[in-house]
Amino acid sequence: MESQGDPTAIDVQDGFAYVADAGGGLRGVEVHPCPPQFGGQIWTGGPSYDVAVSGHSVYVADNEVGLLIADVTTPQLPVVMSETDVPGTAKGVAVSACRAYVVDGTSLRVF
């Protein structure tokens, strides 16, 4: 499957792949059935570098936004729940339990 952007990271849950796109945002890809189909997307206006999915939420490390959290209860229609600015450039994100961890080029931020 050809990417329609500049993919930088991926996380998969329940038959849906979530792709951070340096071209600007989050793309969803339905991996079942075959062949994969592009699903919903969120345009952020700047490069997204990393993605982590937990339950019905997707966490995106986005250059312009910082930490973006989207509800993917319906993966084909992701909805932005919150955007949190970070002092540097959000480059990576990980999620454990109820916390998100973001590296921003100069430090680790815990949300």
Side-chain angles (χ1 to χ4, degrees):
M1 166 176 233
E2 283 291 320
S3 170
Q4 295 179 352
D6 186 7
T8 55
I10 187 170
D11 201 359
V12 179
Q13 179 175 287
D14 298 331
F16 221 84
Y18 301 92
V19 180
D21 187 333
L26 172 72
R27 290 184 164 275
V29 178
E30 194 170 3
V31 294
H32 296 291
C34 275
Q37 303 289 319
F38 282 108
Q41 79 178 72
I42 294 173
W43 172 253
T44 62
S48 295
Y49 295 114
D50 201 9
V51 62
V53 61
S54 179
H56 294 290
S57 298
V58 172
Y59 301 77
V60 181
D62 185 86
N63 182 52
E64 301 295 320
V65 171
L67 174 63
L68 180 142
I69 304 173
D71 181 329
V72 290
T73 302
T74 304
Q76 298 83 356
L77 299 169
V79 176
V80 175
M81 295 186 330
S82 69
E83 298 175 349
T84 304
D85 192 19
V86 297
T89 300
K91 296 280 189 181
V93 63
V95 177
S96 179
C98 62
R99 299 213 183 267
Y101 302 86
V102 177
V103 290
D104 66 8
T106 61
S107 61
L108 168 66
R109 308 282 172 185
V110 181
F111 299 92

